[in-house]
Amino acid sequence: MKLHEYQSKQLFAKFGIPIPRGRVAATAHEAKQIAEELGGRVVIKSQVLVGGRGKAGGIRLAKTPEEAESLATQILMMEIKGLPVRKVLVDEAANINKEIYLGITNDRSLRMPVMMASSAGGVDIEEVARVSPEKIIRESIHPLLGLRDYQARDIAVGIDLAREHWKVFGQIANGLWKAYQSADATLAEINPLVITAENKLLAVDGKMVLDDNALFRHSDLNEMRDLDVEAESEIEARKYGLSFIKLDGNIGCMVNGAGLAMTSMDIIKLFGGEPANFLDIGGGANAEKVAAALRIILSDRNVKAVLFNVFGGITRGDEVARGILTALKEVKTKVPMVIRLVGTNAEEGRRILADAHMITAETLAEAAQKAVNVAKGA
Ligand code: GDP
Ligand code: MN
């Protein structure tokens, strides 16, 4: 689960990280009032759960409350990467001299969290990571020992931070670690952590991703979930116990097993296609679940083909086939379906589907190629 910037920064503040004064608003009128309270220049920031808001025009500086109101009006009408903006954060504008990147995530190969920092922070950090990875300093954090003071100092030295900032930087790094650890996060990020014209450190942006599997022990954080901005299909999928993640491509994927689902997506890409989703219908999926999954996949108008890849073990091929037919009775569609079915009762399943004029395939490679071709309209 992703937290909004304003939620992340509230959490950061609890752990002693300096953040700008500001509040969130749902209307332009409120934004104006907040700007008046803050008395001066403010920054109007779209609250959507994607990165790159600045480049998309979703972060704007306002010199007066009137300007704050008109910018908020504009931003509240925007859609950023397909997500509607429903709230803006109105923060006191910072006078920025320098932008630093500071973040923590899990390093799976080391099996430890890793803190990363760069003196080249800001909106181009992905580019920095790609082109000059040596500009990113890393310190792995032992989960039982926590972030050690010397590690925070090493990072400060590594990013050429002036001596006078080390102490506060150490507090910020430690606060970020505490926020990350206590929330069971998989990402905690300040980008940018700025040095202001007044020579103060300030967390201007914040981002946190929480581990869904640990949310049961964080009822306070779970309440921050913003259903408004989650893709409707993902909310619907959760109701049926389906693991579903919406993506931008045009080939819908219906697969049983997370690993097989990943593999199917890889192979679609290998043959030049783009998956429209990740979907694991789970073991033992019955007709009802398959029907729900198909409805969810087809609710995405980008979908030009659906690839079924079902490896029957506990899941029975004939059940899956019947689920597909049930779903197709409800959801009238012309989207072509390519089906690869192997394992338990696969032959029976294939017979049911062949009678219904579906495209079948023996191997995953063949199925993926066929799906890519029909999606291209071949
Ligand atoms: P992101 O694009 O979604 O990462 O949003 P950010 O909150 O990081 O804002 C993008 C960029 O806008 C930052 O890197 C800053 O350069 C700029 N920005 C954000 N807040 C302020 C502010 O208070 N004052 C100034 N001058 N620039 C800001
Ligand atoms: Mn940012």
Side-chain angles (χ1 to χ4, degrees):
M1 171 179 141
K2 293 176 186 169
L3 295 188
H4 280 295
E5 174 194 2
Y6 77 96
Q7 297 168 326
S8 306
K9 290 202 300 205
Q10 278 165 8
L11 201 64
F12 291 171
K14 281 194 193 153
F15 293 94
I17 296 174
I19 61 166
R21 291 195 299 145
R23 270 196 298 128
V24 74
T27 64
H29 180 69
E30 271 177 81
K32 183 185 179 195
Q33 282 179 334
I34 299 169
E36 275 163 2
E37 278 169 37
L38 293 173
R41 292 188 328 135
V42 292
V43 53
I44 310 288
K45 314 188 75 177
S46 52
Q47 298 297 290
V48 282
L49 297 174
V50 286
R53 296 165 304 160
K55 285 189 177 171
I59 309 278
R60 306 281 298 274
L61 278 167
K63 286 180 214 72
T64 63
E66 288 69 34
E67 200 184 353
E69 185 174 26
S70 81
L71 287 175
T73 308
Q74 288 174 33
I75 293 178
L76 285 166
M77 286 192 303
M78 283 177 74
E79 234 182 45
I80 299 180
K81 297 182 185 169
L83 295 176
V85 180
R86 306 228 197 258
K87 287 181 201 140
V88 291
L89 174 63
V90 183
D91 264 0
E92 194 170 40
N95 299 309
I96 301 177
N97 271 355
K98 188 174 173 54
E99 304 197 6
I100 294 165
Y101 174 91
L102 186 66
I104 306 177
T105 187
N106 281 332
D107 183 328
R108 287 172 184 273
S109 54
L110 287 176
R111 299 184 197 169
M112 276 196 263
V114 57
M115 180 170 270
M116 291 172 293
S118 176
S119 60
V123 295
D124 292 318
I125 190 68
E126 276 88 7
E127 191 64 9
V128 174
R130 202 173 62 79
V131 184
S132 32
E134 75 284 353
K135 284 197 184 145
I136 299 186
I137 309 293
R138 292 158 190 274
E139 280 285 334
S140 39
I141 304 175
H142 192 288
L144 299 179
L145 296 176
L147 181 75
R148 315 303 292 167
D149 288 348
Y150 77 87
Q151 294 185 297
R153 267 195 308 276
D154 281 353
I155 293 172
V157 172
I159 60 169
D160 288 325
L161 193 68
R163 180 77 179 80
E164 61 187 306
H165 294 304
W166 287 8
K167 186 160 175 238
V168 177
F169 179 80
Q171 286 162 4
I172 292 172
N174 196 48
L176 192 64
W177 162 246
K178 291 275 157 60
Y180 179 88
Q181 187 193 34
S182 69
D184 286 313
T186 56
L187 178 76
E189 184 180 272
I190 307 174
N191 185 35
L193 171 65
V194 306
I195 303 178
T196 65
E198 300 78 28
N199 214 18
K200 293 262 187 308
L201 286 172
L202 192 64
V204 158
D205 188 15
K207 182 172 177 184
M208 287 197 78
V209 181
L210 309 180
D211 183 348
D212 286 329
N213 294 314
L215 274 175
F216 71 94
R217 45 186 203 184
H218 300 286
S219 55
D220 52 331
L221 296 174
N222 201 14
E223 274 167 23
M224 291 183 174
R225 188 186 288 279
D226 187 348
L227 291 177
D228 249 13
V229 297
E230 282 189 24
E232 223 168 278
S233 49
E234 291 181 11
I235 297 169
E236 185 70 9
R238 199 161 43 232
K239 269 197 242 162
Y240 288 93
L242 301 162
S243 309
F244 176 90
I245 294 168
K246 190 184 157 354
L247 301 168
D248 296 331
N250 62 3
I251 301 179
C253 302
M254 165 104 74
V255 188
N256 66 328
L260 195 59
M262 296 295 282
T263 308
S264 307
M265 291 159 66
D266 282 348
I267 294 196
I268 287 172
K269 290 195 80 120
L270 183 70
F271 289 112
E274 286 293 335
N277 66 279
F278 167 91
L279 171 64
D280 170 13
I281 55 174
N286 55 21
E288 190 199 357
K289 225 171 171 182
V290 172
L294 193 57
R295 266 200 315 274
I296 291 166
I297 290 176
L298 292 174
S299 68
D300 178 351
R301 270 185 235 120
N302 287 335
V303 170
K304 295 286 179 282
V306 180
L307 171 66
F308 287 79
N309 184 21
V310 176
F311 196 96
I314 306 167
T315 310
R316 289 166 35 200
D318 57 319
E319 271 277 347
V320 171
R322 265 187 280 275
I324 295 170
L325 295 187
T326 310
L328 286 178
K329 259 182 234 149
E330 285 174 43
V331 204
K332 301 267 181 281
T333 180
K334 293 207 170 72
V335 173
M337 318 253 160
V338 180
I339 290 143
R340 181 211 179 209
L341 199 57
V342 283
T344 312
N345 293 3
E347 269 163 37
E348 199 184 333
R350 272 201 295 268
R351 198 172 52 243
I352 295 170
L353 292 171
D355 288 347
H357 308 293
M358 307 240 156
I359 308 167
T360 55
E362 291 287 320
T363 65
L364 177 51
E366 186 194 339
Q369 272 168 300
K370 283 182 171 171
V372 170
N373 285 335
V374 292
K376 283 184 182 146

